[in-house]
Amino acid sequence: MTEEKISCLMVTMPKRLELFRQSVAAYCEQTYENKELVVVTDGPRDRMRPLAAHVESLGRGDVRVVHEERSRSLGALRNLSCEAASGAYFCQWDDDDIYHPRRLEEQYRALKQQDAACLYLEETMQFMVESRRLYWLNWHATQQRAHPGTLLCSRSAMIAYPEEGEAAEYTHDSVVCLELQKRLGFATLAAQPFLYVYVTHDLNKYPREHHEMLAEQLAISKGLLQRRERELREGLAPIDFGAGDVTVQGSNGQAFVLSAKRSS
C-alpha cells in the first residue's frame, strides 16, 4: 500500500511543556513513515521559546512550529494547523494523550480498507494519572459514535472547526465529528483501544468530573477486560505509563494490574 502523507496537527501551550515533549516523542516513534507534525501555538513569542527549542533540538525536518502572535480560540488554532499542513490527510494529535507507535499505520490501513474519507477510533483507553487507573472505553453508543479527538481525515473531506463561542473552546472536535457523520465516507475502527490512551490530568480542558463521567458511562466490564487480558497486555506493551503499577479497571471493579516497567 502506497503511503500518502499524513499531517499530524497539534495545538499546545507553554504550561504543557512536559506533556508536549511526550506527545512529540510518540509522533517520532510512529511506524508510519510519510508524515509531518505541525505544532501551533499563540501568544507572546518569548513564552514559546522552550517549545521551539525542543523542536529544534530534535533536528527533524518533519516537525515544525507555527506561531500566532494574537490570542486565538482553540478552534481557530486547529484551523490554522490545517492551513499550514502539507499532507493529503490530517490527523488530530493532542499534546497530552498517549499514542501507540502503530496509531497512524493502523488508522490509515483501516481508512483505506473501508474506502472512507475520514476515520475515528470507536474504542480507546483512558488513563487517570492521579489514581493510576486505566479503563477501556467504548464510544459506540455516544452521539459521536467514536472518540471525537481521534480524527484521521482526507484533506478534501475536512471541514472547518468553529472559531467563536463555547464550541470553539470545548466541543469543536465533536462539532466536526457530527458534521462529518452526515457526509459520505465516515468510518470508525473498533477493537484496538490501545492505539490511543486518553489521559486525565490536572491540565485538562474539561474538569475532572467530566472525565470521571466518561469512565462511569463508557467503561467496559471487569469480566470483558479479564477475557481480553492477553490481547490488551500485548497491545499496551509499547506504552510507558511512568513509574508505578497501573490498575486496569472495569465498570464494576478491578480486572488486573499492569506492573511497572523495570529500568534496564
Side-chain angles (χ1 to χ4, degrees):
M1 182 186 300
T2 302
E3 289 188 349
E4 299 169 276
K5 188 174 185 179
I6 297 177
S7 296
C8 298
L9 309 178
M10 179 196 295
V11 176
T12 192
M13 59 188 72
K15 68 179 181 180
R16 295 158 76 110
L17 179 60
E18 190 53 42
L19 295 168
F20 163 77
R21 287 174 173 163
Q22 294 170 4
S23 185
V24 172
Y27 163 82
C28 294
E29 292 169 358
Q30 291 296 300
T31 56
Y32 191 94
E33 294 184 358
N34 192 7
K35 62 185 182 293
E36 68 171 352
L37 177 64
V38 179
V39 180
V40 174
T41 67
D42 66 345
R45 188 173 295 275
D46 59 342
R47 294 173 54 216
M48 308 303 161
R49 286 176 183 164
L51 299 173
H54 179 67
V55 170
E56 185 177 354
S57 72
L58 298 174
R60 296 179 63 114
D62 60 334
V63 182
R64 53 195 170 91
V65 177
V66 176
H67 180 250
E68 174 69 29
E69 290 281 356
R70 61 193 178 100
S71 180
R72 304 282 297 276
S73 69
L74 184 51
L77 293 173
R78 292 211 185 278
N79 288 333
L80 180 59
S81 71
C82 292
E83 294 168 8
S86 62
Y89 288 87
F90 298 153
C91 180
Q92 184 170 326
W93 199 267
D94 284 349
D95 65 349
D96 59 342
D97 293 325
I98 302 173
Y99 308 100
H100 191 283
R102 295 200 315 273
R103 181 204 168 179
L104 291 180
E105 178 184 342
E106 296 296 335
Q107 277 198 251
Y108 180 78
R109 177 184 292 113
L111 181 144
K112 287 299 182 180
Q113 288 176 343
Q114 298 185 54
D115 194 23
C118 66
L119 183 135
Y120 289 83
L121 297 179
E122 189 175 299
E123 295 169 84
T124 66
M125 305 304 296
Q126 181 187 31
F127 180 48
M128 304 284 197
V129 172
E130 185 174 338
S131 65
R132 299 194 63 76
R133 290 184 175 181
L134 184 67
Y135 299 84
W136 177 326
L137 304 188
N138 187 328
W139 300 76
H140 178 73
T142 66
Q143 187 180 15
Q144 295 81 9
R145 294 167 44 195
H147 186 321
T150 61
L151 174 64
L152 176 65
C153 186
S154 69
R155 175 185 286 272
S156 60
M158 189 61 190
I159 61 176
Y161 291 93
E163 296 194 358
E164 297 181 356
E166 185 175 348
E169 292 295 340
Y170 290 94
T171 59
H172 56 283
D173 47 8
S174 289
V175 169
V176 167
C177 180
L178 292 172
E179 183 59 34
L180 287 172
Q181 281 186 34
K182 302 174 185 177
R183 308 182 181 204
L184 293 175
F186 180 92
T188 63
L189 173 61
Q192 296 193 58
F194 49 82
L195 294 178
Y196 192 110
V197 181
Y198 189 40
V199 182
T200 299
H201 53 80
D202 292 336
L203 297 175
N204 286 125
K205 192 78 172 177
Y206 279 101
R208 182 175 300 275
E209 291 75 16
H210 171 79
H211 292 263
E212 292 173 346
M213 175 273 294
L214 292 175
E216 291 173 3
Q217 296 188 4
L218 305 182
I220 69 172
S221 70
K222 174 177 68 174
L224 282 174
L225 283 169
Q226 289 171 337
R227 286 197 287 275
R228 300 172 182 177
E229 179 176 354
R230 181 176 178 180
E231 65 179 278
L232 192 53
R233 284 185 181 276
E234 290 176 353
L236 292 172
I239 303 295
D240 184 1
F241 291 100
D245 294 347
V246 172
T247 301
V248 181
Q249 190 81 9
S251 57
N252 56 340
Q254 177 180 324
F256 56 91
V257 173
L258 299 174
S259 299
K261 293 184 177 180
R262 304 297 181 188
S263 300
S264 55

